[in-house]
Amino acid sequence: MHINTLSIIIPTYNEERTIIALLNKVKDVILINNIQKEIIIVNDCSTDNTELAIKKYTTENPDLSIYYFAHNINKGKGAALRTGIHKAAGEYLIIQDADLEYAPQEYNILLQPIIDDFADVVYGSRFMNDNSKGFVFCWHTLGNKFLTFLSNLFTNLNLTDMETCYKIFNTKMIQSIKLEENSFGFEPEITAKISKLYGIRIYEVAISYHRRTYKEGKKINWKDGFRAIYCILKYNLIK
């Protein structure tokens, strides 16, 4: 499979502490097969200096293909992803959180099954190896595994990490899907909807994960877990 450009979708909300470090990591990645990077940043109405930091970085790095979009009201991560997905022009796209929990240098690990023509969609699993760094939120881990198990029951997939941020999609394929969730329900929604596509090839690879604390800005909470259960039921039971 030949890919010219990978679109990197980065939803942001109050990420001034980490966004520059993240963008430098994305910049430093050299993609296999000379694949080019299209960086799409969607600012979901941050109330800190996220926008200022991004605009300054863009000015200082004119060689990078960075496209910046901003919501005038806070709509949620899912809404920011919809904006970014709609704007993507690369043949494939990957989702990248603006914090430093996921490592951009692992893009090539996720791209390889697509290049080898084994997959149309690739999920990066945090639970397939022991490369995760830092302490583990016990309830988060159990919650993620439960949600993945519940999702698998309905989709008949055998994923180990449905809730992972790192997912690569064929851009035209995901642009053809009507996405509805505005917040963290994006993960179970997209998993349910792609599982229904005829002939879809979904692959999973091991990735590392550097957990951050709530003090460091982690946003997902127990309410999002209940929303995920609702989304699993909703989008798998609706044809």
mmCIF file of all heavy atoms in Angstrom, residues 12 16 19-20 23 43 46-60 68:
data_model
loop_
_atom_site.group_PDB
_atom_site.id
_atom_site.type_symbol
_atom_site.label_atom_id
_atom_site.label_comp_id
_atom_site.label_asym_id
_atom_site.label_seq_id
_atom_site.Cartn_x
_atom_site.Cartn_y
_atom_site.Cartn_z
ATOM 1 N N THR A 12 -7.200 19.875 20.852
ATOM 2 C CA THR A 12 -6.566 20.507 22.008
ATOM 3 C C THR A 12 -7.581 21.266 22.851
ATOM 4 O O THR A 12 -8.504 21.889 22.326
ATOM 5 C CB THR A 12 -5.454 21.491 21.575
ATOM 6 O OG1 THR A 12 -6.038 22.562 20.827
ATOM 7 C CG2 THR A 12 -4.398 20.802 20.728
ATOM 8 N N GLU A 16 -1.496 24.269 26.951
ATOM 9 C CA GLU A 16 -0.334 25.131 26.748
ATOM 10 C C GLU A 16 0.944 24.552 27.360
ATOM 11 O O GLU A 16 2.048 24.819 26.891
ATOM 12 C CB GLU A 16 -0.576 26.532 27.309
ATOM 13 C CG GLU A 16 -0.691 26.606 28.816
ATOM 14 C CD GLU A 16 -0.727 28.050 29.318
ATOM 15 O OE1 GLU A 16 0.237 28.788 29.036
ATOM 16 O OE2 GLU A 16 -1.719 28.434 29.977
ATOM 17 N N ILE A 19 1.721 21.303 24.536
ATOM 18 C CA ILE A 19 1.520 21.313 23.092
ATOM 19 C C ILE A 19 2.820 21.529 22.314
ATOM 20 O O ILE A 19 3.041 20.894 21.277
ATOM 21 C CB ILE A 19 0.446 22.365 22.682
ATOM 22 C CG1 ILE A 19 0.120 22.262 21.185
ATOM 23 C CG2 ILE A 19 0.884 23.764 23.059
ATOM 24 C CD1 ILE A 19 -0.499 20.949 20.771
ATOM 25 N N ILE A 20 3.716 22.377 22.793
ATOM 26 C CA ILE A 20 4.957 22.620 22.063
ATOM 27 C C ILE A 20 5.849 21.384 22.084
ATOM 28 O O ILE A 20 6.424 20.991 21.055
ATOM 29 C CB ILE A 20 5.705 23.837 22.645
ATOM 30 C CG1 ILE A 20 4.843 25.096 22.515
ATOM 31 C CG2 ILE A 20 7.039 24.028 21.935
ATOM 32 C CD1 ILE A 20 4.403 25.411 21.107
ATOM 33 N N LEU A 23 4.346 18.911 19.649
ATOM 34 C CA LEU A 23 4.580 19.269 18.253
ATOM 35 C C LEU A 23 6.040 19.017 17.856
ATOM 36 O O LEU A 23 6.320 18.608 16.721
ATOM 37 C CB LEU A 23 4.198 20.723 18.011
ATOM 38 C CG LEU A 23 2.695 21.018 18.035
ATOM 39 C CD1 LEU A 23 2.438 22.518 17.957
ATOM 40 C CD2 LEU A 23 1.976 20.298 16.897
ATOM 41 N N ASN A 43 -8.359 23.545 18.065
ATOM 42 C CA ASN A 43 -8.433 24.108 19.408
ATOM 43 C C ASN A 43 -9.898 24.241 19.823
ATOM 44 O O ASN A 43 -10.644 25.026 19.242
ATOM 45 C CB ASN A 43 -7.740 25.472 19.435
ATOM 46 C CG ASN A 43 -7.720 26.085 20.814
ATOM 47 O OD1 ASN A 43 -8.126 25.478 21.796
ATOM 48 N ND2 ASN A 43 -7.254 27.318 20.895
ATOM 49 N N SER A 46 -9.946 26.736 23.983
ATOM 50 C CA SER A 46 -9.117 26.749 25.187
ATOM 51 C C SER A 46 -9.221 28.103 25.883
ATOM 52 O O SER A 46 -9.379 29.144 25.246
ATOM 53 C CB SER A 46 -7.657 26.479 24.821
ATOM 54 O OG SER A 46 -7.492 25.167 24.318
ATOM 55 N N THR A 47 -9.095 28.069 27.218
ATOM 56 C CA THR A 47 -9.155 29.300 28.002
ATOM 57 C C THR A 47 -7.776 29.732 28.500
ATOM 58 O O THR A 47 -7.665 30.734 29.215
ATOM 59 C CB THR A 47 -10.095 29.120 29.206
ATOM 60 O OG1 THR A 47 -9.640 28.010 30.001
ATOM 61 C CG2 THR A 47 -11.520 28.852 28.743
ATOM 62 N N ASP A 48 -6.744 28.976 28.143
ATOM 63 C CA ASP A 48 -5.380 29.355 28.521
ATOM 64 C C ASP A 48 -4.656 29.887 27.281
ATOM 65 O O ASP A 48 -5.290 30.392 26.359
ATOM 66 C CB ASP A 48 -4.636 28.167 29.150
ATOM 67 C CG ASP A 48 -4.472 27.005 28.176
ATOM 68 O OD1 ASP A 48 -4.914 27.107 26.994
ATOM 69 O OD2 ASP A 48 -3.894 25.979 28.573
ATOM 70 N N ASN A 49 -3.339 29.769 27.227
ATOM 71 C CA ASN A 49 -2.558 30.303 26.109
ATOM 72 C C ASN A 49 -2.234 29.268 25.040
ATOM 73 O O ASN A 49 -1.242 29.400 24.320
ATOM 74 C CB ASN A 49 -1.261 30.924 26.639
ATOM 75 C CG ASN A 49 -1.515 32.188 27.434
ATOM 76 O OD1 ASN A 49 -2.332 33.023 27.044
ATOM 77 N ND2 ASN A 49 -0.829 32.321 28.563
ATOM 78 N N THR A 50 -3.079 28.246 24.919
ATOM 79 C CA THR A 50 -2.854 27.219 23.909
ATOM 80 C C THR A 50 -2.784 27.819 22.509
ATOM 81 O O THR A 50 -1.885 27.499 21.726
ATOM 82 C CB THR A 50 -3.962 26.149 23.972
ATOM 83 O OG1 THR A 50 -3.906 25.465 25.232
ATOM 84 C CG2 THR A 50 -3.797 25.126 22.858
ATOM 85 N N GLU A 51 -3.732 28.667 22.169
ATOM 86 C CA GLU A 51 -3.759 29.248 20.835
ATOM 87 C C GLU A 51 -2.506 30.075 20.557
ATOM 88 O O GLU A 51 -1.906 29.963 19.469
ATOM 89 C CB GLU A 51 -5.000 30.120 20.647
ATOM 90 C CG GLU A 51 -5.075 30.762 19.259
ATOM 91 C CD GLU A 51 -6.399 31.458 19.001
ATOM 92 O OE1 GLU A 51 -6.578 32.576 19.506
ATOM 93 O OE2 GLU A 51 -7.245 30.868 18.314
ATOM 94 N N LEU A 52 -2.095 30.875 21.492
ATOM 95 C CA LEU A 52 -0.897 31.702 21.324
ATOM 96 C C LEU A 52 0.332 30.833 21.090
ATOM 97 O O LEU A 52 1.152 31.120 20.214
ATOM 98 C CB LEU A 52 -0.686 32.575 22.561
ATOM 99 C CG LEU A 52 0.516 33.532 22.534
ATOM 100 C CD1 LEU A 52 0.360 34.561 21.416
ATOM 101 C CD2 LEU A 52 0.666 34.214 23.885
ATOM 102 N N ALA A 53 0.442 29.746 21.851
ATOM 103 C CA ALA A 53 1.584 28.848 21.702
ATOM 104 C C ALA A 53 1.596 28.188 20.334
ATOM 105 O O ALA A 53 2.649 28.077 19.681
ATOM 106 C CB ALA A 53 1.542 27.786 22.804
ATOM 107 N N ILE A 54 0.435 27.767 19.866
ATOM 108 C CA ILE A 54 0.347 27.100 18.561
ATOM 109 C C ILE A 54 0.697 28.066 17.433
ATOM 110 O O ILE A 54 1.459 27.725 16.515
ATOM 111 C CB ILE A 54 -1.071 26.517 18.354
ATOM 112 C CG1 ILE A 54 -1.334 25.382 19.336
ATOM 113 C CG2 ILE A 54 -1.233 26.024 16.911
ATOM 114 C CD1 ILE A 54 -2.777 24.929 19.370
ATOM 115 N N LYS A 55 0.147 29.260 17.481
ATOM 116 C CA LYS A 55 0.405 30.236 16.420
ATOM 117 C C LYS A 55 1.882 30.640 16.391
ATOM 118 O O LYS A 55 2.460 30.810 15.308
ATOM 119 C CB LYS A 55 -0.502 31.449 16.588
ATOM 120 C CG LYS A 55 -1.966 31.146 16.276
ATOM 121 C CD LYS A 55 -2.828 32.405 16.313
ATOM 122 C CE LYS A 55 -4.243 32.099 15.853
ATOM 123 N NZ LYS A 55 -5.118 33.303 15.873
ATOM 124 N N LYS A 56 2.491 30.786 17.550
ATOM 125 C CA LYS A 56 3.913 31.115 17.617
ATOM 126 C C LYS A 56 4.741 29.981 17.036
ATOM 127 O O LYS A 56 5.683 30.211 16.268
ATOM 128 C CB LYS A 56 4.313 31.385 19.067
ATOM 129 C CG LYS A 56 5.767 31.830 19.260
ATOM 130 C CD LYS A 56 6.001 32.216 20.717
ATOM 131 C CE LYS A 56 7.415 32.761 20.924
ATOM 132 N NZ LYS A 56 8.458 31.737 20.740
ATOM 133 N N TYR A 57 4.382 28.754 17.371
ATOM 134 C CA TYR A 57 5.119 27.589 16.869
ATOM 135 C C TYR A 57 4.976 27.480 15.348
ATOM 136 O O TYR A 57 5.946 27.186 14.637
ATOM 137 C CB TYR A 57 4.591 26.311 17.527
ATOM 138 C CG TYR A 57 5.403 25.079 17.192
ATOM 139 C CD1 TYR A 57 6.513 24.736 17.957
ATOM 140 C CD2 TYR A 57 5.066 24.263 16.112
ATOM 141 C CE1 TYR A 57 7.272 23.616 17.661
ATOM 142 C CE2 TYR A 57 5.815 23.145 15.813
ATOM 143 C CZ TYR A 57 6.908 22.822 16.586
ATOM 144 O OH TYR A 57 7.663 21.706 16.284
ATOM 145 N N THR A 58 3.784 27.719 14.846
ATOM 146 C CA THR A 58 3.545 27.652 13.402
ATOM 147 C C THR A 58 4.388 28.683 12.665
ATOM 148 O O THR A 58 4.977 28.390 11.615
ATOM 149 C CB THR A 58 2.050 27.878 13.102
ATOM 150 O OG1 THR A 58 1.276 26.878 13.784
ATOM 151 C CG2 THR A 58 1.779 27.784 11.601
ATOM 152 N N THR A 59 4.463 29.886 13.205
ATOM 153 C CA THR A 59 5.279 30.939 12.593
ATOM 154 C C THR A 59 6.756 30.573 12.590
ATOM 155 O O THR A 59 7.476 30.843 11.618
ATOM 156 C CB THR A 59 5.072 32.267 13.345
ATOM 157 O OG1 THR A 59 3.687 32.623 13.295
ATOM 158 C CG2 THR A 59 5.899 33.385 12.722
ATOM 159 N N GLU A 60 7.207 29.943 13.664
ATOM 160 C CA GLU A 60 8.616 29.589 13.793
ATOM 161 C C GLU A 60 8.996 28.326 13.021
ATOM 162 O O GLU A 60 10.187 28.019 12.888
ATOM 163 C CB GLU A 60 8.962 29.406 15.276
ATOM 164 C CG GLU A 60 8.869 30.694 16.083
ATOM 165 C CD GLU A 60 9.058 30.461 17.568
ATOM 166 O OE1 GLU A 60 9.059 29.274 17.987
ATOM 167 O OE2 GLU A 60 9.220 31.448 18.307
ATOM 168 N N TYR A 68 -4.379 25.059 11.324
ATOM 169 C CA TYR A 68 -4.964 25.356 12.629
ATOM 170 C C TYR A 68 -6.423 25.781 12.483
ATOM 171 O O TYR A 68 -6.757 26.641 11.666
ATOM 172 C CB TYR A 68 -4.164 26.464 13.315
ATOM 173 C CG TYR A 68 -4.748 26.915 14.638
ATOM 174 C CD1 TYR A 68 -4.673 26.108 15.758
ATOM 175 C CD2 TYR A 68 -5.375 28.163 14.738
ATOM 176 C CE1 TYR A 68 -5.208 26.527 16.966
ATOM 177 C CE2 TYR A 68 -5.911 28.587 15.944
ATOM 178 C CZ TYR A 68 -5.820 27.756 17.054
ATOM 179 O OH TYR A 68 -6.362 28.166 18.240
#
